[in-house]
Amino acid sequence: MLSEQTRTIIKATVPVLEKQGTQITKCFYGHMLTEHEELLNIFNRTNQKIGAQPTALATTVLAAAKHIDNLGALLPHVEQIGHKHRALQILPEHYPIVGKYLLLAIKEVLGDAATPDIINAWGEAYQEIADIFITVEAKMYKEAAWQSWKTFTVADKQKVSADIYEFTVKPTTESGLDLSKLKIIPGQYITVNTHPIRQDNQYDALRHYSICSADTKDGLKFAVKLETAENNPNGLVSEFLHMDVKVGDVLKLSAPAGDFAQDQKLVKQNEVPLVLLSAGVGVTPIVSMLEYQINQNPNRPIVWIQTSTNESTLAFKDQVPKLLQKAKDAKSHIVYTDSQPRIDDKFLKEYIPHHSDVYICGSLGFMQAMIDHFAVLEHDNDLIHYEPFGPKMSTVKV
């Protein structure tokens, strides 16, 4: 339990964190990853470069400072981040390293304003917060479908759009896994551990990919969009998976993770419609939710909204209509952004029932835009669920 004096000091730093939080976290990552190169085998360098990860960490630190009197209020955020940590195999021994460089970054950015009292208070607060994460993640490790990394053979590789491949993988004999006993929650993702020999890469590269289907009878399915951006590692893993990995090759995966899941209380009822809204490859977890909803209760009203650049990049365009045909009351809206206006609050107001259960997935930019549009519509926040393809905390307002 933190002392009242410590909590008072932490709360006094809130204005500084609001102004300089991202500067602190950029400094933190810069020093930590320079002096601990082994952590480059874990951290996504794309999210570092575009600023998403520093922004996410800054938001987390700010949230902790604002809720220092009741850290339990952070539990939903801790659990969401914890799923990522467990999937990446972040362990308790990593936390002291993070704490050391976070305090160093606070000292460096604040300069003379970083008094010994402030540094000591944040040292105590960090340990309290780290203990919460470690406890939550220990439970996740215990409940995971398997521990550490397991090997899977690529059984199939199919193009589902011009720039997206769907991979079907099956556990190797050495993995000791039985897919028939694996329960997938629609919305979950798996994490692939690769070591691409591309772009002068020296490190392991880990990426999260959403699972396409809860049905594992043919194998575990996930989809990968080809990212191509010059002079950064954005496409490192997707290029490797698209261009180098073939049927019969072996990949390392960690167990399914994530808290993006349908409200089970609403799946079997028909009064609250289900809205599934996606952009680009963000359709991957959404299509698994559609499949699940129809299998569990095809009578529930469904609104399907999918946006893509054009028809060639529209993923699962053959599969989705077949699923929607099985639903008793389903409406579908496809938006091509190269020839139509982008989705805005007027579009959402016209096509989405006010009291509906909404699930959204897409890029960080798409997600932030949708969150802002729903705020204009004053849609019930408890009925809006989302999963951005990037650090979720970078989209959170605290």
Side-chain angles (χ1 to χ4, degrees), residues 78-302:
V78 170
E79 289 178 341
Q80 185 268 326
I81 297 169
H83 281 290
K84 300 280 188 182
H85 285 178
R86 201 280 300 155
L88 295 169
Q89 305 301 300
I90 301 276
L91 301 170
E93 52 262 37
H94 292 125
Y95 280 92
I97 300 173
V98 171
K100 172 185 175 181
Y101 289 97
L102 183 60
L103 295 181
L104 286 174
I106 292 173
K107 282 183 182 180
E108 182 172 325
V109 174
L110 269 59
D112 293 340
T115 65
D117 284 346
I118 287 176
I119 297 302
N120 290 336
W122 263 108
E124 292 177 30
Y126 173 78
Q127 189 57 57
E128 187 96 352
I129 296 163
D131 288 342
I132 294 173
F133 272 94
I134 291 168
T135 299
V136 167
E137 289 162 16
K139 184 173 183 289
M140 291 178 177
Y141 275 105
K142 185 177 180 180
E143 295 175 349
W146 65 83
Q147 301 301 311
S148 191
W149 303 100
K150 297 291 187 182
T151 52
F152 285 71
T153 301
V154 178
D156 196 16
K157 178 181 177 181
Q158 297 289 335
K159 243 184 179 179
V160 293
S161 82
D163 56 359
I164 299 173
Y165 269 110
E166 179 186 69
F167 289 81
T168 302
V169 297
K170 295 182 178 181
T172 63
T173 303
E174 293 76 19
S175 72
L177 298 176
D178 181 356
L179 277 189
S180 67
K181 297 180 180 179
L182 178 64
K183 292 184 179 179
I184 299 293
I185 299 172
Q188 285 186 313
Y189 54 84
I190 51 85
T191 304
V192 181
N193 184 342
T194 67
H195 193 101
I197 309 301
R198 286 178 171 271
Q199 302 179 14
D200 297 321
N201 175 58
Q202 306 172 49
Y203 306 101
D204 292 342
L206 282 53
R207 294 292 187 274
H208 307 301
Y209 294 114
S210 294
I211 298 171
C212 306
S213 174
D215 185 352
T216 60
K217 67 177 182 300
D218 296 323
L220 187 60
K221 298 177 183 291
F222 63 92
V224 180
K225 178 185 177 183
L226 177 62
E227 302 287 355
T228 54
E230 293 183 1
N231 302 318
N232 74 40
N234 198 40
L236 181 65
V237 177
S238 67
E239 281 187 358
F240 172 72
L241 292 172
H242 270 242
M243 301 177 186
D244 297 341
V245 172
K246 300 176 178 61
V247 172
D249 288 349
V250 174
L251 297 172
K252 291 190 293 184
L253 275 60
S254 66
D259 61 351
F260 185 48
Q262 287 169 261
D263 186 339
Q264 290 300 305
K265 299 189 300 294
L266 299 178
V267 170
K268 294 295 180 69
Q269 58 76 56
N270 300 322
E271 286 71 42
V272 180
L274 172 66
V275 174
L276 299 172
L277 170 59
S278 66
V281 74
V283 70
T284 308
I286 299 297
V287 75
S288 70
M289 291 182 175
L290 175 64
E291 176 191 64
Y292 176 79
Q293 177 63 60
I294 291 171
N295 286 339
Q296 295 295 312
N297 175 18
N299 296 320
R300 184 183 184 187
I302 298 171

Side-chain angles (χ1 to χ4, degrees), residues 349-385:
K349 183 177 182 180
E350 180 177 357
Y351 294 116
I352 293 181
H354 183 67
H355 189 65
S356 54
D357 196 28
V358 183
Y359 296 82
I360 318 171
C361 190
S363 67
L364 288 171
F366 174 78
M367 286 306 320
Q368 191 59 66
M370 293 305 106
I371 292 168
D372 292 343
H373 294 326
F374 277 105
V376 171
L377 297 177
E378 298 182 342
H379 200 95
D380 186 346
N381 284 334
D382 290 337
L383 291 173
I384 299 176
H385 319 271

